[in-house]
Amino acid sequence: MRLSRYFLPVLKENPAEAQIVSHRYMLRAGMIKQAAAGIYSWLPLGFKVLRKLENIIHEEQIRAGHIPIQMPILQSAELWRESGRYDDYGEEMLRMKDRHGRDMLYTPTAEELVTDIFRAHVNSYRELPLTLYQIQWKFRDEIRPRFGVMRGREFLMKDGYNFDLTKEDALHAYNRHLVSYLRTYERMGLQAIPMRADSGPIGGDDTHEFLVLAETGESEVFYDSAITDLRFGNRDIDYDDRAACAAVLEEFTSRYARTDETHVEAEFHAQVPEARRRQARGIEVGQIFYFGTKYSEPMGATVVNEKGERVPVHMGSHGIGVSRLVGAIIEASHDDRGIIWPEGVTPFHCGIVNLKQGDAAADAACESLYGALTAIGLEPLYDDRDERAGAKFATMDLIGLPWRITVGPRGLRSGVVELTSRRTGESEALRPEEAVERVARIYGKAAD
Ligand code: 5CA
């Protein structure tokens, strides 16, 4: 993409309404624009990051054997009356009537709808296990929407639902989700720690929230600092291997780590030596639940088992806060000049800054770098505007592309361009082909 032809409405001033850094940078970098309280339009740069997160989530869900579907945003109240949640959900549910006077609602989550799909089409235990998921906008009429996309009213969620014959099978689904979430967050450059939590209106006793530690997080958390040394890394876990998935759960959840809702000071002291006790704040980027037959029983979602008996299925649901993650990643990765995208989610792989637009040699070198990077399947953002170098650097720093190639007439006279890491600020003078090769290698592509 050439910046002169892109739509990147960068703000020079700090927006007064933004209280936390991610909100400030998302507005300044032209990623989002507020449409109403807690409701945002996603502008091109923000939309690109959102799409990258969705892609990672789809890849990891499919790897775990889960099947994508798409359910509607508007639902009829009828199903929610069946489960008993229509009255229970309270003010957070946005309710409306259609022209025939029927009660409708904007989906805050989709346990009822997916259970209805299941009961209409699945009859036998032989069709299990089954996990269906979607990435879809949700609406919760939060009393205090704030911090931009962190606590929105409309927000994008990945929500997955497992259907299993037995509790044991459903707990395997729970473990499988935990493993797939660890992989997912690590690919996004995040450390998200599973912590024992409260299940709230979703229900059930078994639940973990995934928290990214950050001072601006809305959750108060208590944990054993040894947990922060754990990394999932690039382990190749067979998702059908129950023992392997259970071992990962054990490794990542056996140490004390809880949100304030489940925290018990006496247990914390008994389980964690003082030097390792931490109290901090975190951003909840996901949650997994096992709730057994809470929805399948009242809604009649049953299958015939091996003995020919009709039994309700065991279920759980599993959510990732996709739009919130954009803010969480920025909270975890920025400096005082702007965002620093992890390579896995960056909207463009590499910036190209032309220090002297209109200089024949500089223009030609930039075009050639742009062509070479594009040819190997990378997306560069070429700042080809007729602007001062300082302004170009400031924009690149703000929007946070992890790598920048700077091209100027002086460097070109000695045959080099400069490759700079946004994270470390370190620069290296390289021949243009070397710079392309280096960037290609970083992203696991082969330069020809
Ligand atoms: N049905 C289950 C899982 S599919 C569910 O709704 N879980 S949840 O309530 O925990 O939501 C899943 C994730 O959505 C949360 O972990 C959080 O990251 C994100 N989320 C929840 N509320 C908001 C909000 N108001 N703004 C942005 N993200 C939110």
Side-chain angles (χ1 to χ4, degrees):
M1 182 55 65
R2 290 159 209 275
L3 197 42
S4 64
R5 297 190 199 162
Y6 200 45
F7 179 58
L8 184 74
V10 163
L11 305 180
K12 292 230 162 56
E13 304 298 321
N14 270 331
E17 73 268 31
Q19 300 166 33
I20 62 171
V21 69
S22 58
H23 190 195
R24 199 152 57 233
Y25 284 155
M26 286 182 78
L27 291 169
R28 281 196 50 209
M31 295 176 68
I32 51 169
K33 172 166 185 331
Q34 184 175 308
I39 304 178
Y40 291 87
S41 297
W42 290 78
L43 306 183
L45 194 76
F47 188 51
K48 236 165 171 304
V49 176
L50 204 57
R51 276 285 132 91
K52 290 235 163 160
L53 301 186
E54 288 185 56
N55 286 342
I56 293 176
I57 292 168
H58 278 301
E59 281 176 19
E60 293 304 329
Q61 287 302 302
I62 288 164
R63 190 198 300 275
H66 307 157
I67 305 170
I69 60 171
Q70 189 83 89
M71 293 182 278
I73 289 173
L74 293 185
Q75 301 182 5
S76 147
E78 269 169 54
L79 289 173
W80 290 71
R81 291 206 172 96
E82 273 191 57
S83 72
R85 276 207 298 184
Y86 190 63
D87 294 324
D88 293 354
Y89 218 96
E91 296 282 336
E92 268 192 22
M93 181 186 275
L94 183 65
R95 300 155 205 255
M96 66 205 90
K97 283 192 194 294
D98 69 10
R99 67 196 303 170
H100 303 293
R102 283 185 291 245
D103 289 322
M104 307 288 292
L105 57 99
Y106 192 129
T107 178
T109 173
E111 281 80 6
E112 284 78 358
L113 205 59
V114 77
T115 304
D116 184 51
I117 294 171
F118 180 89
R119 71 179 171 186
H121 298 291
V122 182
N123 251 309
S124 160
Y125 75 96
R126 286 197 194 85
E127 295 165 77
L128 305 182
L130 178 66
T131 296
L132 302 173
Y133 79 93
Q134 67 170 349
I135 297 180
Q136 179 63 291
W137 293 92
K138 302 293 186 298
F139 196 94
R140 292 182 186 170
D141 206 353
E142 301 277 352
I143 190 159
R144 225 151 74 82
R146 56 181 185 157
F147 301 159
V149 299
M150 291 285 212
R151 182 159 297 278
R153 292 197 298 163
E154 189 185 61
F155 59 97
L156 190 60
M157 193 202 285
K158 171 265 165 183
D159 44 325
Y161 306 86
N162 68 282
F163 301 91
D164 287 278
L165 181 61
T166 63
K167 175 171 183 180
E168 196 191 15
D169 294 349
L171 289 176
H172 171 56
Y174 186 89
N175 299 349
R176 200 173 62 227
H177 277 89
L178 182 124
V179 175
S180 73
Y181 280 22
L182 290 172
R183 276 189 77 103
T184 301
Y185 296 122
E186 282 201 15
R187 280 187 63 184
M188 295 173 179
L190 283 176
Q191 180 173 33
I193 304 170
M195 300 199 181
R196 207 190 299 167
D198 182 66
S199 66
I202 309 293
D205 297 328
D206 292 284
T207 185
H208 283 92
E209 282 181 6
F210 287 78
L211 286 117
V212 173
L213 297 174
E215 277 162 33
T216 50
E218 290 189 281
S219 313
E220 182 154 50
V221 297
F222 300 82
Y223 62 95
D224 177 341
S225 66
I227 281 177
T228 54
D229 297 334
L230 296 174
R231 293 288 178 283
F232 186 76
N234 204 15
R235 298 182 213 182
D236 191 16
I237 301 276
D238 173 358
Y239 281 106
D240 291 329
D241 183 338
R242 292 185 178 217
C245 291
V248 173
L249 176 105
E250 174 68 18
E251 178 184 346
F252 281 82
T253 66
S254 58
R255 291 212 177 79
Y256 195 99
R258 298 190 194 176
T259 64
D260 54 358
E261 301 147 340
T262 55
H263 172 67
V264 182
E265 195 70 18
E267 291 178 30
F268 192 33
H269 283 235
Q271 290 175 33
V272 188
E274 191 176 356
R276 297 210 314 250
R277 272 178 230 148
R278 298 283 184 279
Q279 177 175 358
R281 302 200 68 82
I283 304 165
E284 178 206 329
V285 293
Q287 188 164 4
I288 54 177
F289 302 84
Y290 164 73
F291 43 67
T293 59
K294 171 174 174 180
Y295 300 91
S296 56
E297 221 165 301
M299 294 184 64
T302 58
V303 291
V304 174
N305 69 13
E306 305 92 318
K307 296 183 202 140
E309 304 153 348
R310 211 158 246 296
V311 292
V313 287
H314 286 256
M315 294 175 59
S317 71
H318 314 276
I320 295 180
V322 188
S323 48
R324 175 179 286 181
L325 269 167
V326 180
I329 293 168
I330 297 173
E331 290 296 326
S333 183
H334 66 268
D335 62 15
D336 56 5
R337 286 174 292 142
I339 303 165
I340 307 174
W341 292 114
E343 270 106 9
V345 304
T346 183
F348 293 96
H349 297 102
C350 174
I352 301 172
V353 169
N354 188 342
L355 292 178
K356 195 154 192 209
Q357 208 69 41
D359 174 274
D363 290 1
C366 287
E367 289 297 332
S368 143
L369 283 166
Y370 186 84
L373 289 166
T374 307
I376 52 176
L378 293 175
E379 274 188 293
L381 181 67
Y382 170 23
D383 191 345
D384 59 343
R385 297 170 307 162
D386 192 12
E387 281 274 359
R388 291 177 302 112
K392 290 188 176 186
F393 289 146
T395 301
M396 283 294 173
D397 285 348
L398 174 64
I399 69 171
L401 309 186
W403 298 94
R404 183 186 82 205
I405 302 177
T406 309
V407 181
R410 197 179 331 140
L412 287 176
R413 280 197 289 276
S414 30
V416 295
V417 297
E418 208 172 64
L419 179 66
T420 308
S421 155
R422 173 70 182 84
R423 194 170 291 280
T424 65
E426 280 163 25
S427 288
E428 224 183 317
L430 299 168
R431 283 184 293 111
E433 319 79 77
E434 284 172 341
V436 170
E437 220 166 86
R438 191 70 65 82
V439 175
R441 196 147 3 103
I442 289 163
Y443 290 102
K445 307 262 183 198
D448 347 274

